């Protein structure tokens, strides 16, 4: 195989970065090990089922705190972190970074503890009722102004589930209305607060982030880059494409693709991989969440490849998020090979099955096996 290497930027060693196959299409991609800045792993027996999938490809992940009961204190986050670490397979280095779940009653002093802990790097704003396990979330943003002031002062970023929750708002408009009614005023009120607008799904959200200051960033999921809302109804109702915020129109998907491929450092990878047992998704009232952890990197690579932007993939996946959170990038590398592979029909999960996105279908990019931690 001709290993002609494309050089993008100045600091890549000759054996890294995208590699061309003899026919000119990219055959492999070596990049700094990525991080996942938005991940759900649940608790208990779920951990052994899902943590290894993330640990196999990501160096770190920001763990979402929407358990039942939610992770609202530093002490709870500490013990939860220990339980996650116990599910990391031997020989894999995976660091769970923790977040606190804000409630109407979170005392500002809890932010001091969280910041001092060193392992809690964000607090999460769930508008009450917006998504899975958000009933203990915020009922009125004014109630947490003292907490947000403390976060602004201490430099603890706020992660935001950005959807309006009043029942009169159409589900496809919830993100846009949240920007107008809640996020814009919040950014004005707390100009020094670092904010991550999580799993953005609309052109309005992408534009909002582009126009905001360097204190505002966004995560983007692989599924929102690859699917539009038609995927919810393709040939019948597709529960495994149902997540929140819900998939949007094609024009919004295009806007997200443009945002992540633009090279703007304030867009970065957050899978929002969200495991739910199959019987809770394939139900009369199915849960929201797509399970993507084992295939997410391949999906993102597909999205960048369709735009001819694989040279921008590393920054999105491995550099931008760490920089925003003030952390160094991972030191080791991974290699993705352009090698189609079949996603399993399901994974074992509790007493049930966990059906990933693309179950039984193929993904174009595969993580190369590691030997002694050194990519081939
Ligand atoms: C997430 C979950 O299941 O915890 N679900 C989802 O549809 N994304 C919660 C969330 O991030 O909204
Ligand atoms: Zn989520």
């Amino acid at each position: 195989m001709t290993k002609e290497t494309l050089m993008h930027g100045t600091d890549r060693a000759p054996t890294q970065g995208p590699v061309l196959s003899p026919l000119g299409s990219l055959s492999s991609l070596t990049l700094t090990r990525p991080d996942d800045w938005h991940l759900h792993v649940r608790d208990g027996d779920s951990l052994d089922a899902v943590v290894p999938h993330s640990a196999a490809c990501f160096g770190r992940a920001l763990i979402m705190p929407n358990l039942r009961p939610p992770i609202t204190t530093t002490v709870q986050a500490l013990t939860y972190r220990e339980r996650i670490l116990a599910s990391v397979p031997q020989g894999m280095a995976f660091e769970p970074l923790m977040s606190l779940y804000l409630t109407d009653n979170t005392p500002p002093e809890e932010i001091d503890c969280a910041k001092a802990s060193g392992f809690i790097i964000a607090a999460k704003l769930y508008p009450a009722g917006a998504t899975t396990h958000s009933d203990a979330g915020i009922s009125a943003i004014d109630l947490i102004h003292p907490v947000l002031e403390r976060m602004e002062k201490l430099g603890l970023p706020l992660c935001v589930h950005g959807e309006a929750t009043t029942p009169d708002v159409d589900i496809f408009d919830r993100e846009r209305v949240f920007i107008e009614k809640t996020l814009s005023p919040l950014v004005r009120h707390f100009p020094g607060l670092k904010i991550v607008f999580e799993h953005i799904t609309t052109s309005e959200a992408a534009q909002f982030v582009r126009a905001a200051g360097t204190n505002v960033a966004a995560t983007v999921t692989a599924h929102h880059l690859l699917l539009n809302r038609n995927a919810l109804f393709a040939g019948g109702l597709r529960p495994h494409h149902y997540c929140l915020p819900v998939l949007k129109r094609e024009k919004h998907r295009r806007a997200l693709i443009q945002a992540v491929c633009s090279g703007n450092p304030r867009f970065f990878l957050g899978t929002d991989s969200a495991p739910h047992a199959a019987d809770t998704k394939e139900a009369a009232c199915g849960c929201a969440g797509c399970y993507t952890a084992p295939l997410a990197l391949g999906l993102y690579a597909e999205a960048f490849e369709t735009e001819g932007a694989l040279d921008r993939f590393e920054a999105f996946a491995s550099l931008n998020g760490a920089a925003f959170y003030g952390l160094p990038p991972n030191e080791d590398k991974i290699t993705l090979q352009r090698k189609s592979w079949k996603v399993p029909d399901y994974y074992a999960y509790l007493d049930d099955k966990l059906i990933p996105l693309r179950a039984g279908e193929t993904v174009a990019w595969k993580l190369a096996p590691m030997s002694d931690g050194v990519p081939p």
Side-chain angles (χ1 to χ4, degrees):
M1 191 205 307
T2 315
K3 286 221 164 181
E4 186 189 332
T5 301
L6 289 177
M7 295 298 289
H8 300 271
T10 52
D11 56 352
R12 290 218 177 114
T15 52
Q16 297 166 7
V19 176
L20 288 181
S21 75
L23 296 176
S25 65
L26 291 169
S27 63
S28 78
L29 191 58
T30 294
L31 61 155
T32 301
R33 182 176 289 279
D35 299 307
D36 183 350
W37 297 103
H38 184 127
L39 177 66
H40 302 268
V41 290
R42 316 302 185 204
D43 206 349
D45 291 343
S46 172
L47 296 174
D48 279 345
V50 302
V51 169
H53 291 155
S54 293
C57 38
F58 295 102
R60 296 167 289 198
L62 180 53
I63 307 297
M64 291 296 125
N66 61 332
L67 303 185
R68 229 178 213 146
I71 301 296
T72 56
T73 67
T74 304
V75 172
Q76 285 172 325
L78 173 66
T79 53
Y80 183 31
R81 179 174 177 273
E82 294 301 323
R83 295 194 294 277
I84 297 168
L85 282 171
S87 293
V88 176
Q90 275 214 324
M92 287 185 191
F94 175 72
E95 190 185 349
L97 302 166
M98 309 308 288
S99 59
L100 278 194
Y101 185 117
L102 298 178
T103 72
D104 289 349
N105 303 313
T106 302
E109 295 71 34
E110 194 61 55
I111 300 302
D112 300 342
C113 291
K115 180 71 183 178
S117 77
F119 59 84
I120 297 176
I121 65 156
K124 179 86 189 259
L125 163 57
Y126 288 103
T131 188
T132 308
H133 303 167
S134 63
D135 33 311
I138 303 304
S139 60
I141 192 95
D142 298 5
L143 295 172
I144 58 162
H145 272 198
V147 164
L148 298 178
E149 260 161 40
R150 195 67 65 98
M151 291 174 65
E152 183 179 38
K153 186 164 157 236
L154 296 181
L156 190 78
L158 177 72
C159 298
V160 178
H161 182 110
E163 289 195 282
T165 50
T166 40
D168 55 312
V169 180
D170 187 280
I171 187 165
F172 292 102
D173 297 334
R174 284 182 186 175
E175 190 170 273
R176 181 175 59 73
V177 172
F178 183 85
I179 295 169
E180 290 163 16
K181 296 255 169 72
T182 307
L183 192 55
S184 292
L186 189 73
V187 168
R188 278 198 299 275
H189 199 99
F190 298 98
L193 181 63
K194 281 184 142 187
I195 296 176
V196 184
F197 194 173
E198 298 293 334
H199 43 50
I200 61 166
T201 62
T202 57
S203 61
E204 289 88 352
Q207 181 49 31
F208 179 83
V209 171
R210 253 194 302 265
T214 54
N215 59 316
V216 178
T219 56
V220 187
T221 77
H223 43 289
H224 288 104
L225 289 174
L226 291 171
L227 302 174
N228 66 33
R229 66 189 195 176
N230 285 352
L232 284 165
F233 310 107
L237 193 57
R238 300 288 189 138
H240 300 292
H241 291 161
Y242 174 55
C243 64
L244 290 170
V246 74
L247 295 170
K248 302 295 192 301
R249 284 178 181 276
E250 177 63 8
K251 69 172 181 186
H252 294 294
R253 188 189 73 81
R254 292 284 330 148
L256 298 180
I257 287 270
Q258 275 159 18
V260 301
C261 294
S262 70
N264 184 321
R266 286 182 294 112
F267 295 100
F268 46 83
L269 186 156
T271 63
D272 194 18
S273 179
H276 291 275
D279 68 350
T280 66
K281 285 203 58 81
E282 299 170 359
C285 185
C287 293
C290 298
Y291 188 62
T292 57
L295 63 153
L297 277 185
L299 296 179
Y300 281 114
E302 285 183 10
F304 276 75
E305 188 176 32
T306 55
E307 281 304 287
L310 277 173
D311 58 323
R312 301 226 159 127
F313 181 47
E314 182 181 40
F316 172 79
S318 315
L319 307 178
N320 297 348
F324 187 83
Y325 279 101
L327 296 168
N330 293 312
E331 283 173 9
D332 59 334
K333 308 263 175 193
I334 60 154
T335 294
L336 291 173
Q337 292 170 326
R338 202 176 193 302
K339 200 173 180 181
S340 176
W341 62 285
K342 185 170 172 276
V343 179
D345 293 331
Y346 60 87
Y347 297 98
Y349 189 69
L350 311 177
D351 294 331
D352 196 351
K353 293 173 178 170
L354 176 55
I355 303 198
L357 201 79
R358 292 254 180 113
E361 296 171 40
T362 58
V363 175
W365 290 84
K366 190 175 189 345
L367 187 70
M370 310 285 277
S371 60
D372 303 332
V374 182

